[in-house]
Amino acid sequence: MAVGSFVTLKIYDVLGIEVATLVNGVKEPGTYETEFDAKNLSSGIYFYRLSAEVDDGREKYFAIKKVGVVK
């Protein structure tokens, strides 16, 4: 039986400062989409960090990827 996990999706600048939180809550297994509105950010390189935790708070999965913002 698939179980939901606490999921966070955050955007960071190159200095590691969090600039946006796109997802912060429990999600059931499946495929999701979210929009990232970068109108208040400068052009440049940013990073997103996606993580999912199990019931006891241990991190089960995480990924960090690079994204570019061009205006």
Side-chain angles (χ1 to χ4, degrees):
M1 180 170 112
V3 179
S5 296
F6 189 84
V7 176
T8 59
L9 176 58
K10 296 184 178 189
I11 308 294
Y12 296 89
D13 66 13
V14 293
L15 299 175
I17 298 170
E18 182 182 325
V19 296
T21 299
L22 304 179
V23 177
N24 192 36
V26 176
K27 297 287 185 185
E28 295 300 316
T31 302
Y32 294 89
E33 291 183 16
T34 189
E35 290 188 25
F36 172 44
D37 185 357
K39 69 180 175 189
N40 295 325
L41 298 177
S42 302
S43 293
I45 300 297
Y46 294 85
F47 297 89
Y48 69 84
R49 185 179 196 279
L50 173 65
S51 66
E53 299 175 354
V54 292
D55 291 344
D56 60 5
R58 290 180 297 137
E59 195 166 65
K60 182 177 180 181
Y61 171 84
F62 84 93
I64 299 172
K65 301 286 183 170
K66 182 170 52 172
V67 62
V69 173
V70 180
K71 293 190 174 192

